[in-house]
Amino acid sequence: SLWLQGSATKQVDPSFRQVGDPCIWGQHHMKAEMKDMWRNNLILVSLLVIALGSGSFWTIQKWGNILSGLSSQETLGPLQLQVIASAFCLSPLIYMLETKDDNQPDEVGDTYDFMEKGDINEEDYTKDSIYAFFYSTYQAIGKAPSPSGTDYQFTFNTWGISDVDWIQNEAEPQRHGKAAYQGLVEFKEVKQYLAANPNPQIVEIGCGTGAGANYITQLLPGCNYTAFDMQHAAIDTCNKLFAQHNPRLKCEWVPGGVGGSSGGKSSLADASVDIVLISETHIAEATVGPEELAVFKEIIRMLKPGGFFVWGNALPTSVWHMAEPVMAELGMEACGRFNHTQGAVKARLEDKDRVDLYVEHLINWFPVTSVPYVGKRCAHVTDRLIKNFYRHPGTKLFEQMVTGAHSYMHLCHRRAS
């Protein structure tokens, strides 16, 4: 105790300290413990970095490719969507899209870049993957604000049309999508048929969320409507938002799609359907090939003699020229065509503020887009991808409607009686 008191009051000459001095022993012991602690901490940190790195690499490899890495056979929950978005933002895909230079000329020879126009080649993505992400996200986000101040659920994943007598006023946020659906039952022969057959069986191939299907059942209160889609998330939304409240609407998941690449069949009997409807479904995007022929043949199988196939979409103008002779070869009779291209261009211009607001709302729903540097880059890439798919003004797919490379058509064909 005296030694301790002395050491606290005056400086001790190191030459007086002996090997067995407790102060020297304590210092050596403390240094040894510190070395062990730092060595152990370094090992733990190294293991943590390796684990996080391996986990991040695995996550990015598994979930980062939104364009082609997801499956149509599941609905992605909110947590899964956050993991996928984070993996996408941290993946090499962002840089690959930013520096993309393999832009291909379109049908009229024009080329577009990705960072400005959102151009992406057909072979760069699969519809299974992008729509698995879109439909799951629409469902998870819930209601969103609109320019009119009305909150709404984004359910019409359609470009839509304007300049038609039945367009609703601006208070309806998704009026252009509704107008496109209604246009498919506005053909003269279809209206005459419905007047004589007020309780038709209607089928939709590629129904998406089921919003259009539900709307048609409101326009035609005597109909029974079966809506098919290959996306599990879309059918989940169709059932949750619409079918459970609408006894005349049935939503069915068809893995691989009706007809489609897997040649899937619907659950309906031969010659049992009055009208088959397709609205802006992901087929015939470049040509009328084996997949489209399989879809058409399945439609004809379902249709009653005298039944109708009504089809609307914005597609390469050359594809529309291919489609009509193919339908004739399959024994279908033309019963009307409307070129709504100018109305579709106007619809996208009228809808610009709503889409801008929704895409901003969607991007902000993912916290990873707020991360410095990485988030800003990811947000811009995501904005370009989504808005190009929406044919938003300033994007490649919008410009192609303006130039005439693509046309928005409504076609009517009838099975021979």
Side-chain angles (χ1 to χ4, degrees):
S1 62
L2 290 174
W3 181 83
L4 288 173
Q5 288 176 10
S7 67
T9 58
K10 63 180 180 179
Q11 192 74 22
V12 178
D13 187 342
S15 63
F16 289 111
R17 291 181 178 165
Q18 304 300 316
V19 175
D21 190 327
C23 182
I24 295 175
W25 179 87
Q27 288 177 349
H28 283 299
H29 183 68
M30 184 179 293
K31 287 180 180 179
E33 286 185 335
M34 289 291 290
K35 286 182 180 179
D36 288 341
M37 183 182 74
W38 280 107
R39 183 169 58 251
N40 291 336
N41 284 344
L42 183 61
I43 293 171
L44 286 172
V45 169
S46 299
L47 289 173
L48 181 60
V49 168
I50 292 170
L52 288 174
S54 300
S56 298
F57 179 78
W58 179 86
T59 301
I60 291 169
Q61 286 290 100
K62 179 174 175 60
W63 298 109
N65 189 357
I66 288 176
L67 296 181
S68 60
L70 305 178
S71 169
S72 64
Q73 300 189 16
E74 62 179 331
T75 300
L76 302 165
L79 180 58
Q80 285 176 293
L81 289 167
Q82 295 295 345
V83 171
I84 290 166
S86 298
F88 171 66
C89 289
L90 296 172
S91 75
L93 195 53
I94 299 298
Y95 176 77
M96 291 167 63
L97 289 169
E98 288 174 329
T99 57
K100 182 176 170 57
D101 61 359
D102 60 343
N103 314 100
Q104 300 171 358
D106 68 8
E107 293 76 10
V108 297
D110 293 331
T111 58
Y112 304 87
D113 70 355
F114 175 80
M115 290 300 282
E116 182 182 358
K117 300 293 185 179
D119 181 23
I120 187 166
N121 302 327
E122 290 289 328
E123 60 269 22
D124 292 335
Y125 68 92
T126 66
K127 55 190 175 184
D128 299 53
S129 186
I130 58 169
Y131 284 115
F133 183 79
F134 282 161
Y135 287 128
S136 295
T137 302
Y138 299 154
Q139 184 180 133
I141 287 178
K143 290 191 174 182
S146 72
S148 67
T150 303
D151 288 348
Y152 71 105
Q153 180 96 25
F154 191 100
T155 51
F156 278 86
N157 189 47
T158 49
W159 305 307
I161 58 175
S162 190
D163 282 348
V164 289
D165 295 340
W166 52 87
I167 187 79
Q168 296 184 24
N169 62 42
E170 294 179 4
E172 169 50 57
Q174 302 182 102
R175 63 196 186 109
H176 300 102
K178 289 186 173 183
Y181 265 87
Q182 183 168 346
L184 293 171
V185 293
E186 290 289 332
F187 289 99
K188 181 179 178 180
E189 288 189 37
V190 172
K191 293 173 78 172
Q192 291 173 343
Y193 182 89
L194 291 171
N197 300 274
N199 304 112
Q201 172 65 56
I202 299 177
V203 162
E204 181 176 357
I205 297 175
C207 65
T209 66
N214 190 62
Y215 183 58
I216 293 292
T217 65
Q218 296 169 5
L219 296 175
L220 305 174
C223 77
N224 287 297
Y225 202 113
T226 303
F228 296 114
D229 203 284
M230 64 182 286
Q231 293 290 340
H232 197 279
I235 293 301
D236 271 356
T237 301
C238 187
N239 282 313
K240 289 176 182 176
L241 292 184
F242 303 113
Q244 69 171 336
H245 311 295
N246 184 347
R248 292 182 294 108
L249 174 61
K250 182 180 180 182
C251 308
E252 283 191 23
W253 177 47
V254 181
V258 173
S261 56
S262 62
K265 286 193 173 184
S266 79
S267 57
L268 295 167
D270 295 359
S272 61
V273 176
D274 296 280
I275 299 172
V276 175
L277 179 152
I278 291 181
S279 181
E280 299 188 21
T281 295
H282 229 271
I283 65 168
E285 293 174 304
T287 189
V288 178
E291 179 178 4
E292 288 73 25
L293 288 172
V295 173
F296 296 155
K297 288 176 181 178
E298 179 63 5
I299 288 170
I300 293 168
R301 182 193 70 78
M302 288 188 284
L303 280 176
K304 297 176 181 177
F308 295 89
F309 168 40
V310 288
W311 179 19
N313 207 350
L315 297 172
T317 303
S318 58
V319 170
W320 289 120
H321 292 317
M322 295 178 204
E324 295 198 62
V326 169
M327 298 304 297
E329 288 176 15
L330 293 172
M332 298 290 282
E333 301 170 353
C335 50
R337 67 194 306 271
F338 290 111
N339 188 332
H340 287 296
T341 307
Q342 292 306 310
V345 169
K346 184 177 180 182
R348 292 299 83 228
L349 291 169
E350 292 174 345
D351 209 23
K352 182 179 183 300
D353 290 345
R354 181 185 73 96
V355 173
D356 281 336
L357 191 61
Y358 186 79
V359 173
E360 180 182 9
H361 179 75
L362 184 153
I363 289 173
N364 290 339
W365 190 74
F366 295 102
V368 68
T369 60
S370 299
V371 174
Y373 184 66
V374 171
K376 184 177 180 180
R377 292 172 57 209
C378 185
H380 181 74
V381 166
T382 303
D383 177 270
R384 293 295 81 195
L385 281 171
I386 294 175
K387 287 182 177 176
N388 187 52
F389 283 129
Y390 287 175
R391 293 186 181 265
H392 199 59
T395 64
K396 172 192 174 182
L397 289 179
F398 174 83
E399 295 295 336
Q400 287 180 312
M401 292 196 298
V402 174
T403 64
H406 288 196
S407 301
Y408 194 115
M409 302 294 297
H410 275 178
L411 297 187
C412 174
H413 287 89
R414 192 170 193 177
R415 184 179 175 183
S417 298

